[in-house]
Amino acid sequence: MNYLVYSLVFLLLPNHSLQTDEQNEINYGVLIGKFNIYHHGVGGDVYAVNTTTFFIKSFNYDGMGKDTYFWAGVDNQPGMQGFIVPDRYGRTNVLRKSDNEDFTLTLPDGKSIGEIKWLAVYDLKSFQNFGDVYIPDGFEPPGVAKLTMTIRSDDISCDQVLVEDLKSLMFERLYVFAEDKELYFWVGKGHVPSIRGTRVPDELGYLDPLRNYGNEDVKLVLPGEFTFNNIDWLAVFDAKTNTSLGYISFPNELNVPPNLRQVIKYENTVPKCEQLHANLQIGWDIVGQTITFEIVGLVAENDWLGFGLSGSENKSNMIGSDVAIAFMKNQVPVVHDYKIDARAPCSSVLDVHRGVCKDVLTGGSDSYQVLEGRRKIFDSNYYEILISHRSHERKVNSKSDEIYSGNQSSLSMSSHVNQFSY
Ligand SMILES: *[C@@H]1O[C@H](CO)[C@@H](O)[C@H](O)[C@H]1NC(C)=O
Ligand SMILES: *[C@@H]1O[C@H](CO)[C@@H](O)[C@H](O)[C@H]1NC(C)=O
Ligand SMILES: *[C@@H]1O[C@H](CO)[C@@H](O)[C@H](O)[C@H]1NC(C)=O
Ligand SMILES: *[C@@H]1O[C@H](CO)[C@@H](O)[C@H](O)[C@H]1NC(C)=O
């Protein structure tokens, strides 16, 4: 591969990023109703996220009340008897003006939505109700659903599966014996699991074959636009035999909390792309003797992204690898080429460099050229990256390459790697 010239485009996304509201069908929970509007332009839709939390969509209020709060109570109508519901920041300050804003509100002191009769925007000085919404009798807020796994093999067991929200579930005491198999978490549609499904990342976000699990609690989050409403089953599937060891079937109407994380749509600048990890994508384009790579990662401020040639012919191996590490330094994109021959910081003994060393120290040269590097900032608590497309058409080299991610202070600590070939 030495004759190839690399060029690199990379993009660092922050850990906290935001959705846009473009996709319809975003689930905010169970709709309770719209605020009845009495004064000061109060308006918005009120959803129940779970037993304690509301999602308020497009909230409006002109901010002109003197001593106005979110106010809830158990009487038949909003009045002086009630309690303050802390604002979106968890504070009990006087409400400010709001212009079509979306946020969550959590009831204080472990109170539940089922216990209260109404939520209002109420002024404690004038005893005026500016707007309210009533909780219907017998209202059932979304909650965790308990399902059981259908077992098809002695090599798997699981006590139960908790569906925590529309995209997250927890296997309780999952046991999987993975030797001699090629297992994946696998989702799809239809009555029972079949080869017509999609691999989903494991609990760490990797798409590698599953390891052994020894009665562990394992949490999975569905990627992209998958939710338990648009798939019928999630299986532990063996790609060697095309059979499932066990699976969970999802009922049609799961009354579970929404997942308020949102999807960032990312347009790749190169034609080929592979999702390697929940937070990591590699794209590439080959023109003549030049490969342009695009690495996109959802990482924190001081994180780096890396990828390169594996130390092994046929698997991902950190020792013996040759990797490019990309990061932003004072808003300038930087890429360094490293040779890794030990899991230790670079050190030199008698002029021989061992460890994670810059290529230039070991007689190589920085053979990457940075084309572009960007950091995109979104401002919300929710993030997720969308798999925009994947394609595997062109195989020019059977060598496995690998991707690392980590931060600048822990380069030598990085251990989990992922495979791809192009
Ligand atoms: C309800 O949802 C909120 C926001 O997602 C979360 O902070 C809270 O822990 C949840 N409460 C319960 C009881 O699940
Ligand atoms: C499993 O399915 C794949 C794709 O349909 C097929 O190529 C492969 O031969 C199948 N393997 C077995 C063991 O049936
Ligand atoms: C991986 O490569 C090594 C040496 O390069 C070889 O001995 C081994 O058989 C290979 N394993 C597989 C599964 O191909
Ligand atoms: C970098 O990663 C190491 C190991 O994962 C971790 O202990 C350390 O806190 C991280 N540092 C920063 C600044 O994120």
Side-chain angles (χ1 to χ4, degrees):
M1 290 274 289
N2 288 338
Y3 60 92
L4 290 169
V5 177
Y6 303 88
S7 49
L8 214 58
V9 176
F10 68 96
L11 177 68
L12 305 174
L13 299 172
N15 253 330
H16 297 287
S17 346
L18 165 77
Q19 59 185 356
T20 50
D21 233 27
E22 279 155 24
Q23 310 101 317
N24 17 18
E25 295 217 41
I26 290 178
N27 183 309
Y28 300 110
V30 178
L31 182 65
I32 297 173
K34 283 183 181 307
F35 272 111
N36 300 304
I37 307 172
Y38 308 125
H39 298 290
H40 292 292
V42 167
D45 296 337
V46 181
Y47 295 80
V49 167
N50 57 28
T51 53
T52 59
T53 302
F54 296 102
F55 183 82
I56 315 284
K57 176 87 191 120
S58 305
F59 183 68
N60 283 297
Y61 165 54
D62 69 10
M64 300 304 278
K66 292 256 172 337
D67 198 18
T68 308
Y69 304 90
F70 286 111
W71 187 247
V74 299
D75 288 350
N76 284 334
Q77 283 186 3
M80 288 164 62
Q81 293 296 321
F83 58 89
I84 292 177
V85 179
D87 65 16
R88 72 188 85 170
Y89 309 109
R91 294 193 293 246
T92 50
N93 298 354
V94 172
L95 278 189
R96 299 228 194 103
K97 178 176 163 32
S98 184
D99 207 3
N100 268 322
E101 287 166 36
D102 300 346
F103 49 86
T104 56
L105 292 181
T106 296
L107 293 174
D109 310 322
K111 291 192 168 69
S112 79
I113 292 177
E115 293 168 28
I116 61 170
K117 289 260 172 55
W118 42 264
L119 173 72
V121 176
Y122 194 82
D123 192 87
L124 288 177
K125 195 155 213 157
S126 61
F127 306 122
Q128 257 194 327
N129 182 2
F130 296 168
D132 60 23
V133 63
Y134 286 84
I135 319 297
D137 278 344
F139 180 76
E140 286 252 355
V144 172
K146 292 180 185 165
L147 302 176
T148 48
M149 187 185 255
T150 304
I151 301 294
R152 289 272 176 264
S153 156
D154 291 342
D155 288 338
I156 194 168
S157 68
C158 175
D159 285 1
Q160 65 175 353
V161 177
L162 304 180
V163 182
E164 296 177 340
D165 64 46
L166 277 176
K167 287 173 84 72
S168 322
L169 60 68
M170 174 77 91
F171 293 98
E172 287 193 334
R173 288 173 46 83
L174 178 68
Y175 167 83
V176 176
F177 180 71
E179 312 284 309
D180 309 320
K181 306 180 189 71
E182 191 189 337
L183 301 178
Y184 299 104
F185 291 116
W186 195 258
V187 301
K189 280 183 171 297
H191 197 56
V192 289
S194 71
I195 183 77
R196 293 167 56 90
T198 307
R199 210 168 17 145
V200 294
D202 67 15
E203 73 280 10
L204 297 173
Y206 289 100
L207 290 163
D208 284 349
L210 300 183
R211 60 182 174 91
N212 289 331
Y213 291 92
N215 296 317
E216 298 165 45
D217 291 348
V218 175
K219 181 168 176 160
L220 290 193
V221 180
L222 296 182
E225 284 167 355
F226 286 115
T227 71
F228 300 119
N229 280 345
N230 61 23
I231 60 173
D232 293 325
W233 45 262
L234 185 153
V236 173
F237 197 81
D238 188 353
K240 266 194 182 160
T241 58
N242 293 341
T243 53
S244 84
L245 271 60
Y247 63 94
I248 309 138
S249 296
F250 301 101
N252 274 345
E253 289 304 324
L254 272 173
N255 188 18
V256 297
N259 181 294
L260 296 174
R261 291 152 50 115
Q262 298 203 351
V263 173
I264 301 165
K265 287 207 191 273
Y266 178 71
E267 294 283 330
N268 293 85
T269 58
V270 292
K272 309 278 194 291
C273 168
E274 182 95 343
Q275 188 84 17
L276 293 158
H277 175 276
N279 297 335
L280 210 53
Q281 252 184 25
I282 181 108
W284 66 97
D285 190 18
I286 303 171
V287 178
Q289 304 230 308
T290 303
I291 302 182
T292 300
F293 293 105
E294 178 187 55
I295 316 176
V296 183
L298 203 57
V299 295
E301 186 77 31
N302 290 318
D303 282 1
W304 49 266
L305 294 167
F307 92 104
L309 293 175
S310 172
S312 159
E313 281 286 328
N314 47 22
K315 68 174 178 49
S316 294
N317 203 18
M318 184 169 165
I319 308 290
S321 65
D322 185 350
V323 297
I325 302 296
F327 55 94
M328 299 293 285
K329 192 170 189 181
N330 304 326
Q331 291 165 36
V332 178
V334 181
V335 176
H336 288 310
D337 207 354
Y338 283 86
K339 273 240 158 34
I340 299 176
D341 64 2
R343 282 176 197 273
C346 192
S347 63
S348 140
V349 176
L350 300 176
D351 269 356
V352 178
H353 287 86
R354 297 290 316 261
V356 179
C357 296
K358 282 188 186 162
D359 226 6
V360 287
L361 292 175
T362 58
S365 63
D366 254 334
S367 51
Y368 295 93
Q369 183 191 345
V370 187
L371 290 184
E372 194 185 349
R374 279 176 293 151
R375 187 172 172 82
K376 270 202 170 164
I377 306 294
F378 302 84
D379 59 352
S380 152
N381 297 323
Y382 311 119
Y383 72 92
E384 189 152 351
I385 193 153
L386 181 75
I387 302 175
S388 46
H389 70 279
R390 6 184 343 141
S391 137
H392 231 127
E393 284 155 37
R394 191 156 172 180
K395 270 206 178 349
V396 297
N397 192 321
S398 63
K399 236 181 181 171
S400 35
D401 288 1
E402 58 190 58
I403 288 280
Y404 303 91
S405 74
N407 58 38
Q408 287 172 47
S409 55
S410 72
L411 180 50
S412 62
M413 305 295 290
S414 169
S415 59
H416 198 126
V417 294
N418 233 291
Q419 272 190 309
F420 79 104
S421 55
Y422 54 86

